[in-house]
Amino acid sequence: MRAPKLTRRSFLKTAAAGTAVAAAVGVLSGCTHDGSEEVSDPVVVDEDSAEDILETFESVDPTLVEEAVWSFPLGNVLHPAEGTWIPVTTAGSSATPMVKASALSLASGQLVEVVSEPVGKGTTRVIYDARCSDYAYAWVELDLHSRDWALYAAPFSGGTLSGEAVTLWEGDKDFDPAPFVVSERTVVWQVQPSTSGSRTTEHSFCYVWHLGDGDAKAVVESPGRFATAPALSGDAVVLAPRVRADEGVYYGVTAYSLSDDLETRLDQLVMPQNVRPFRATRVGERFLVSVEASYSTGGLLGRMGTYVGTADGSFFRLNREPSEVGCGHGDVVILKSQASYFVIDLAKHQYAVLASADRAVDYGDYPARSGECDLFVTFATVKDADTGYPATVAVRTFRL
């Protein structure tokens, strides 16, 4: 296996002066899945080979029942998570800090502050993104002026950090802030060159790290940018690296096992040439893959929409402009369109439409779950009925 081509500073800049703000993990040499390994053949099928959900399924009344409804101040943004705690980025009460990292308990509805200010120093440094499980919390900080960024992680328990934060990675403006997920005690993230930087020809890598480890490991190499951010689904993580680089532009939507640090490739759906997936995850044995635009080639998977199916070419298609990543449990999948959610029962051949909270289509209603789940979570900015101005953030949960 080849060592990663990306360079990485082992410590923060201040470490050279002897004042590192957080301990930094190392990276083991080598990569589990390099860009030259054998992959599946591209899946190219006729455009009429999928079952169109809106044309062939029966439309029924919504069956999902709200389990809980909470209201929070404006400026709270939820992010997908797998457990009882949902990561939240919260607007600060002043310009410094501009954003805080929080967490919402689905058990109690309590919103708690987790990271009150950036670890890194500087007035232009902000908390950019956050993810958590019930055991670990991770966040990215970004310098709005220099575009330098860093990924941190720490043990997490009961709504608070229960140990020291460590630095998992640092990057500058030539690399995008890392998209990442947290599962149990594991953090998985991608590092890829920015499309506007000076390192656009470098390969991208996916890394995995466990709480308490001194080193992370490179697990997936992509000869180019990943098409999608990593997505959790039960004991799997779904990535979309470039594959077949010597043949053209192909993306392999791939499910890897989390139990062995992504060493086992569970399933793979290679998209037609030049077709870039927009969102991708997995529910049960089925991929949920959306395509944002229609391509002149590629057959069925080259048309705009969201596809639910397997690499053997058996698909259901939701013929709507895709929005966020899907989720579900068993034969029930939930796919977001621009203004609502489609709750689809593949076994019964039925679908229902779940409306946005208070018809909040102006600012959007978004999911805080992805992949396999049995409790669906949404959040939306809701307007005041009298003034028409944004008033609160409504969070709803539904049992699948």
Side-chain angles (χ1 to χ4, degrees):
M1 298 293 183
R2 290 174 291 170
K5 296 178 182 178
L6 297 175
T7 60
R8 178 187 187 275
R9 293 169 292 176
S10 297
F11 297 92
L12 298 174
K13 291 178 180 179
T14 52
T19 55
V21 297
V25 303
V27 178
L28 299 174
S29 62
C31 183
T32 308
H33 302 277
D34 68 14
S36 63
E37 72 175 355
E38 184 177 347
V39 298
S40 305
D41 292 328
V43 176
V44 180
V45 293
D46 294 337
E47 291 186 23
D48 59 356
S49 61
E51 192 167 355
D52 192 306
I53 292 170
L54 299 183
E55 291 185 0
T56 64
F57 280 35
E58 177 188 8
S59 176
V60 298
D61 293 333
T63 57
L64 293 185
V65 178
E66 287 183 344
E67 194 166 90
V69 182
W70 299 297
S71 181
F72 299 102
L74 293 175
N76 283 293
V77 177
L78 279 63
H79 303 279
E82 65 181 9
T84 302
W85 289 93
I86 297 288
V88 182
T89 46
T90 300
S93 56
S94 64
T96 53
M98 184 183 300
V99 181
K100 300 178 181 180
S102 306
L104 168 64
S105 169
L106 297 179
S108 66
Q110 181 184 17
L111 181 66
V112 297
E113 188 176 296
V114 179
V115 184
S116 59
E117 60 182 8
V119 172
K121 302 304 178 184
T123 57
T124 57
R125 185 113 169 180
V126 298
I127 295 173
Y128 177 77
D129 199 358
R131 296 291 187 273
C132 75
S133 67
D134 293 347
Y135 306 97
Y137 200 99
W139 68 99
V140 166
E141 295 179 7
L142 173 69
D143 190 303
L144 298 177
H145 175 68
S146 67
R147 311 304 293 179
D148 289 347
W149 57 270
L151 172 63
Y152 301 99
F156 176 72
S157 178
T160 63
L161 300 185
S162 55
E164 295 296 322
V166 297
T167 307
L168 300 183
W169 200 273
E170 292 183 279
D172 57 25
K173 63 182 180 180
D174 288 329
F175 296 91
D176 287 346
F180 61 106
V181 292
V182 179
S183 178
E184 299 286 333
R185 294 172 173 81
T186 302
V187 182
V188 179
W189 71 96
Q190 294 172 179
V191 178
Q192 53 195 4
S194 169
T195 57
S196 60
S198 62
R199 311 280 284 277
T200 57
T201 61
E202 295 202 18
H203 288 202
S204 302
F205 289 87
C206 178
Y207 298 87
V208 62
W209 174 80
H210 304 285
L211 280 178
D213 285 357
D215 296 300
K217 64 173 69 172
V219 288
V220 178
E221 178 183 4
S222 175
R225 291 168 56 88
F226 290 88
T228 64
L232 291 175
S233 183
D235 189 39
V237 61
V238 177
L239 310 175
R242 282 276 305 274
V243 296
R244 298 178 172 269
D246 57 342
E247 302 175 22
V249 178
Y250 293 92
Y251 293 97
V253 178
T254 312
Y256 299 93
S257 173
L258 279 167
S259 62
D260 60 4
D261 290 347
L262 282 65
E263 183 173 344
T264 299
R265 195 175 75 187
L266 300 172
D267 200 2
Q268 185 175 63
L269 169 62
V270 177
M271 303 294 286
Q273 187 172 11
N274 297 325
V275 176
R276 182 187 181 93
F278 174 59
R279 299 281 191 264
T281 188
R282 192 171 184 246
V283 172
E285 301 298 317
R286 299 182 180 102
F287 283 115
L288 276 59
V289 180
S290 62
V291 179
E292 191 179 21
S294 290
Y295 295 78
S296 59
T297 60
L300 173 69
L301 295 181
R303 316 311 296 169
M304 185 188 72
T306 300
Y307 300 89
V308 183
T310 58
D312 65 6
S314 301
F315 295 101
F316 299 95
R317 181 191 183 198
L318 179 65
N319 188 15
R320 286 290 187 272
E321 183 179 356
S323 179
E324 297 302 310
V325 68
C327 63
H329 182 71
D331 290 319
V332 176
V333 297
I334 300 177
L335 303 176
K336 185 184 183 313
S337 66
Q338 294 300 309
S340 59
Y341 299 94
F342 288 92
V343 183
I344 304 162
D345 192 318
L346 300 173
K348 295 180 179 179
H349 275 59
Q350 295 177 339
Y351 75 90
V353 176
L354 179 65
S356 301
D358 287 348
R359 306 185 65 83
V361 295
D362 289 347
Y363 303 97
D365 190 312
Y366 297 95
R369 288 292 202 215
S370 131
E372 191 75 34
C373 70
D374 56 12
L375 184 69
F376 182 47
V377 184
T378 79
F379 71 100
T381 298
V382 177
K383 296 184 292 186
D384 183 272
D386 296 324
T387 66
Y389 290 115
T392 59
V393 174
V395 176
R396 301 180 294 168
T397 67
F398 303 83
R399 182 67 57 182
L400 298 184

